[in-house]
């Protein structure tokens, strides 16, 4: 198998991630402007695809905003929602109770669904939490029918670039920001897994905040703050945090302190 870039040093702590998303569920929708925006962009890319799936699986479905839009877009389709965090799925069930075929806690590396039965897999900003994307793609190959469509968005390596740069200047020996695969590696992994007609592209989304701390609080509420095994197990002191904030402030623009999100979109067929 082809060797892909290593992000072993920054492997995601899966149990910690699961717990964080469970805790974030109640407040999640109040701070998900980015997720909703990317979800809408991902959905819009299906507008040119003449395909009516019989069974569609939303992986990492979260609180179910895109799930509901998928139900509306494909009214004749059975739609199932899977997520690692039960708290997220409880919100999803309440939001989409009349349209969901099924809703289940699931690990994307080992899906609780039989082989060769899924016509479309949709995943909005979830696959970046995998430590072994080739295993996930092999699992998708297992559950998808021939002629099925995989359609997803994930974070690329420039995500939270400003935060990474600021922490690197004051605490270079510890991991403070999650690391993500490059667009080239995502494309290569799709091909290696046996997908065809692979299309990958990327987009940068820059947001601005009045100050650094609102960004940090939002990342925590999202359950998307640092989840790597390489992170320091000692609480970050106020002094070091203030040093990081001072470094970040040096990047301030007219609209506020910037934060970059690197979004990779992928579209491939089995």
């Amino acid at each position: 198998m082809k060797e892909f870039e290593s992000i072993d040093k920054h492997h995601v702590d899966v149990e910690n991630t699961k717990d964080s998303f469970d805790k974030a569920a109640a407040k999640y929708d109040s701070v998900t402007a980015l997720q909703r925006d990317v979800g809408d962009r991902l959905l819009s890319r299906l507008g040119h695809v003449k395909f009516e799936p019989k069974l569609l699986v939303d992986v990492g479905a979260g609180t179910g905003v895109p799930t509901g839009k998928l139900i509306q877009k494909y009214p004749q389709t059975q739609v199932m929602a899977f997520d690692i965090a039960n708290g997220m799925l409880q919100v999803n069930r309440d939001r989409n109770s009349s349209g969901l075929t099924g809703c289940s806690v699931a690990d994307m590396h080992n899906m609780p669904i039989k082989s060769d039965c899924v016509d479309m897999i949709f995943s909005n900003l979830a696959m970046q939490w995998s430590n072994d994307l080739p295993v996930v793609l092999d699992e998708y190959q297992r559950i998808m029918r021939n002629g099925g469509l995989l359609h997803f968005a994930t974070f690329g390596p420039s995500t939270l670039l400003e935060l990474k740069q600021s922490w690197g200047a004051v605490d270079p020996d510890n991991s403070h920001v999650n690391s993500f695969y490059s667009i080239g590696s995502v494309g290569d992994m799709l091909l290696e897994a046996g997908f065809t007609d692979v299309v990958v592209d990327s987009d940068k989304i820059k947001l601005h905040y009045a100050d650094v701390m609102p960004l940090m609080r939002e990342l925590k509420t999202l359950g998307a703050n640092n989840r790597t095994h390489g992170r320091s197990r000692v609480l970050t002191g106020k002094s070091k945090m203030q040093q990081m904030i001072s470094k970040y402030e040096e990047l301030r623009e007219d609209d506020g302190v910037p934060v970059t999100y690197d979004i990779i979109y992928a579209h491939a067929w089995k």
Side-chain angles (χ1 to χ4, degrees):
M1 179 177 287
K2 181 181 287 190
E3 292 294 324
F4 302 105
E5 81 220 56
S6 173
I7 55 171
D8 289 349
K9 181 181 177 182
H10 307 297
H11 263 197
V12 172
D13 185 335
V14 176
E15 280 303 311
N16 190 283
T17 300
K18 176 181 177 296
D19 291 343
S20 293
F21 280 117
D22 268 327
K23 292 174 183 175
K27 297 180 179 178
Y28 193 78
D29 283 345
S30 68
V31 291
T32 54
L34 175 77
Q35 281 79 354
R36 289 194 297 272
D37 182 17
V38 175
D40 286 343
R41 295 181 189 210
L42 190 60
L43 281 161
S44 71
R45 290 164 181 247
L46 288 172
H48 306 293
V49 180
K50 304 302 180 185
F51 184 60
E52 291 291 332
K54 293 180 180 178
L55 175 60
L56 185 156
V57 172
D58 186 358
V59 178
T63 58
V65 175
T67 311
K69 293 179 180 180
L70 287 165
I71 291 168
Q72 292 175 4
K73 180 175 178 59
Y74 300 110
Q76 304 305 314
T77 296
Q78 292 183 308
V79 177
M80 301 183 69
F82 290 155
D83 198 278
I84 196 173
N86 188 53
M88 293 288 188
L89 288 176
Q90 288 177 350
V91 179
N92 196 325
R93 288 188 193 99
D94 292 341
R95 170 172 275 139
N96 300 306
S97 58
S98 62
L100 277 173
T101 300
C103 193
S104 178
V105 173
D107 182 339
M108 69 182 82
H109 302 81
N110 185 20
M111 304 285 286
I113 192 167
K114 66 182 183 180
S115 300
D116 303 315
C117 69
V118 176
D119 300 291
M120 182 188 294
I121 295 175
F122 179 97
S123 183
N124 180 43
L125 296 182
M127 290 169 64
Q128 67 271 2
W129 304 120
S130 170
N131 284 325
D132 199 339
L133 198 51
V135 169
V136 173
L137 296 177
D138 286 344
E139 180 68 352
Y140 290 171
Q141 280 278 350
R142 179 187 71 79
I143 68 174
M144 290 175 71
R145 302 181 199 267
N146 286 333
L149 174 63
L150 172 60
H151 190 70
F152 68 90
T154 187
F155 286 138
S158 295
T159 296
L160 301 178
L161 179 65
E162 298 86 357
L163 183 60
K164 187 180 298 185
Q165 177 181 329
S166 301
W167 270 122
V170 301
D171 191 20
D173 295 330
N174 285 302
S175 166
H176 288 274
V177 183
N178 298 298
S179 294
F180 307 109
Y181 288 111
S182 69
I183 186 171
S185 285
V186 171
D188 287 344
M189 283 186 272
L190 284 163
L191 292 170
E192 185 77 13
F195 287 94
T196 62
D197 296 324
V198 173
V199 178
V200 290
D201 65 294
S202 66
D203 192 14
K204 297 288 197 305
I205 298 175
K206 182 183 282 190
L207 304 179
H208 291 87
Y209 291 77
D211 297 293
V212 177
M213 286 312 297
L215 165 64
M216 301 296 287
R217 287 193 293 269
E218 183 169 306
L219 290 174
K220 186 174 183 179
T221 302
L222 286 170
N225 51 322
N226 187 25
R227 297 289 149 216
T228 61
H229 283 296
R231 70 188 186 277
S232 173
R233 300 295 170 168
V234 179
L235 289 175
T236 302
K238 289 184 178 179
S239 175
K240 193 154 287 186
M241 177 68 76
Q242 190 55 54
Q243 291 176 50
M244 184 279 290
I245 292 173
S246 296
K247 280 292 182 183
Y248 207 135
E249 280 289 341
E250 294 176 8
L251 304 175
R252 179 176 287 275
E253 299 174 349
D254 290 343
D255 293 332
V257 291
V259 55
T260 297
Y261 289 95
D262 181 9
I263 311 299
I264 297 173
Y265 301 94
H267 183 94
W269 298 84
K270 178 177 176 180

